Amino acid sequence: MYEYKTPEAILEAMLEDVDDSIDKREGSVAYDLLYPSAIELSLAYVELDAVMMLAFAETTEGQWLDLRAGEFGVTRKAAAKSEGIVTLTGPEGTIVPVDTLLMTDDEEPVYFLTKDEVVLTGGMATVTAESQDGGEDGNILAGRITSLAPGDLSGVVMATNALAFSGGADAESDKELLGRLKDRVQKPATSGNANHYLQWAREVVGVSDAKVYPLWAGPGTVKVVLLSSDRKAPNQTIINAATTYIESQRPFGAAVTVTGVVEVPINVTATLTLQAGGDILAVKAEFETALDEYLEGLAFRDTIVRYSRIANLLLDIPDVLDYSGLTINGGTANIAIPDGQVAINGTVTLT
């Protein structure tokens, strides 16, 4: 908006206000005194441009978006911690205190804290643990926890998780918060209408989106289908939290059913021709990452998984020269995803 406020333009305007009887040529005292001020004023206009953009929801970010959304009662969802069960083994009778720090065996470990004090009976005990910090990094697979963090019990008591941890969610992104703010303003939610249920569902930590089906089982019934923050089916903890919250907000008399979205695995098989020196395992890992991103982008937005798009994902990998025998769920056609369901990465077989 203020692009025209260059140092030269500002200097010219300032010199025009100087009496013509005074030397204003380049190198003169008046010129040399005013030019540094013109530079600083031009920088101020640059900052003013940025400040003006922070005033509008579409162009603001971070804490400024928080303030803008707060004017409409929309608050950024905080990160959520993951939770799971850990098995501890060690000398009989060993006491493992609450808040004992556990860790994964990674270059950058993920840390977890036990939620109760336990005593190793028969050299073993199970305890609930949660991630030290909120975020999706805490949603680890089975077997990822390998030890206690350095301390009195390190090397004495061992730890592992037989099942995956779940429930962790990153703090709401600017994009997600802006989407909820626009929905609040542009889709009026009143008296328990469909928009109201959508609003309530999306306010729950771990829920990125939802679909609402009024009258799904007759008069007075509502069904809410939830999509998790990673664009897949949420775990039962998130479903329970959403159910509790919606029940606390809904109008009297409505019978509400809250469920997670149904996942549809997308299984891909293909024979590849690779560049010389190409590594099929590295290609598979890169393809699975790209497939995840593609399918996450479809969730609740597009009901068709396109065969040609998956073919392009393969060809976009630098080490892939060509492919043959590409099938998606055993066929060579697009896959239609039913309403209320979502496509996820299934089994990928590349040879």
Side-chain angles (χ1 to χ4, degrees):
M1 180 176 294
Y2 294 106
E3 293 88 352
Y4 66 95
K5 292 290 189 179
T6 62
E8 292 74 21
I10 293 172
L11 177 61
E12 182 179 350
M14 294 171 73
L15 288 172
E16 288 178 359
D17 292 333
V18 177
D19 191 282
D20 289 339
S21 64
I22 299 174
D23 186 2
K24 299 185 285 186
R25 293 173 298 176
E26 185 174 353
S28 67
V29 173
Y31 187 100
D32 289 347
L33 285 174
L34 293 175
Y35 194 50
S37 297
I39 293 174
E40 291 302 315
L41 284 171
S42 72
L43 295 175
Y45 277 110
V46 171
E47 294 299 323
L48 182 58
D49 240 349
V51 168
M52 289 189 66
M53 291 299 98
L54 292 176
F56 300 95
E58 285 282 1
T59 51
T60 192
E61 61 183 1
Q63 62 177 319
W64 311 111
L65 178 57
D66 288 338
L67 292 172
R68 194 77 181 95
E71 295 175 358
F72 296 90
V74 179
T75 304
R76 189 187 299 270
K77 291 184 286 188
K81 297 180 179 181
S82 66
E83 187 172 287
I85 302 297
V86 174
T87 300
L88 304 172
T89 56
E92 172 71 19
T94 300
I95 299 174
V96 180
V98 63
D99 289 336
T100 295
L101 193 60
L102 316 173
M103 59 188 288
T104 60
D105 186 19
D106 298 312
E107 185 174 340
E108 295 185 5
V110 182
Y111 293 96
F112 300 83
L113 292 167
T114 59
K115 298 185 70 173
D116 300 291
E117 179 182 292
V118 293
V119 178
L120 302 189
T121 303
M124 180 182 297
T126 58
V127 63
T128 301
E130 68 176 10
S131 56
Q132 186 177 42
D133 301 311
E136 293 184 3
D137 287 346
N139 296 331
I140 59 171
L141 298 176
R144 288 280 308 283
I145 293 177
T146 57
S147 62
L148 276 63
D152 293 342
L153 294 177
S154 178
V156 177
V157 175
M158 304 304 295
T160 189
N161 59 307
L163 301 174
F165 274 56
S166 61
D170 293 334
E172 190 172 25
S173 67
D174 283 355
K175 181 179 179 181
E176 292 168 333
L177 179 57
L178 176 60
R180 289 202 298 121
L181 172 58
K182 292 171 72 174
D183 282 347
R184 176 69 65 91
V185 175
Q186 298 172 2
K187 299 177 180 178
T190 58
S191 304
N193 64 358
N195 288 337
H196 226 157
Y197 283 94
L198 178 62
Q199 173 185 305
W200 294 327
R202 293 180 67 186
E203 287 174 351
V204 177
V205 174
V207 176
S208 65
D209 206 352
K211 282 196 171 185
V212 180
Y213 301 89
L215 308 177
W216 76 283
T221 64
V222 180
K223 184 176 184 179
V224 182
V225 179
L226 307 177
L227 189 67
S228 69
S229 56
D230 59 359
R231 314 294 291 177
K232 296 179 176 64
N235 62 34
Q236 193 60 46
T237 300
I238 294 173
I239 294 173
N240 292 343
T243 300
T244 300
Y245 182 66
I246 291 173
E247 284 293 324
S248 72
Q249 301 292 318
R250 67 168 178 81
F252 176 77
V256 183
T257 300
V258 180
T259 67
V261 68
V262 175
E263 296 179 342
V264 178
I266 300 299
N267 304 314
V268 179
T269 301
T271 300
L272 306 181
T273 302
L274 303 183
Q275 298 269 14
D279 183 350
I280 189 67
L281 294 179
V283 167
K284 180 181 178 183
E286 189 171 348
F287 173 72
E288 287 180 330
T289 298
L291 181 60
D292 273 335
E293 292 177 356
Y294 169 56
L295 297 179
E296 286 173 12
L298 297 181
F300 280 10
R301 296 171 185 163
D302 191 339
T303 60
I304 303 296
V305 178
R306 288 169 173 78
Y307 180 90
S308 60
R309 186 72 185 89
I310 291 181
N312 288 335
L313 293 180
L314 283 172
L315 294 177
D316 286 343
I317 299 174
D319 280 343
V320 176
L321 291 176
D322 204 354
Y323 68 87
S324 62
L326 173 62
T327 64
I328 306 173
N329 287 4
T332 57
N334 295 339
I335 304 295
I337 305 300
D339 185 37
Q341 300 185 24
V342 63
I344 65 165
N345 193 345
T347 301
V348 174
T349 304
L350 302 178
T351 56

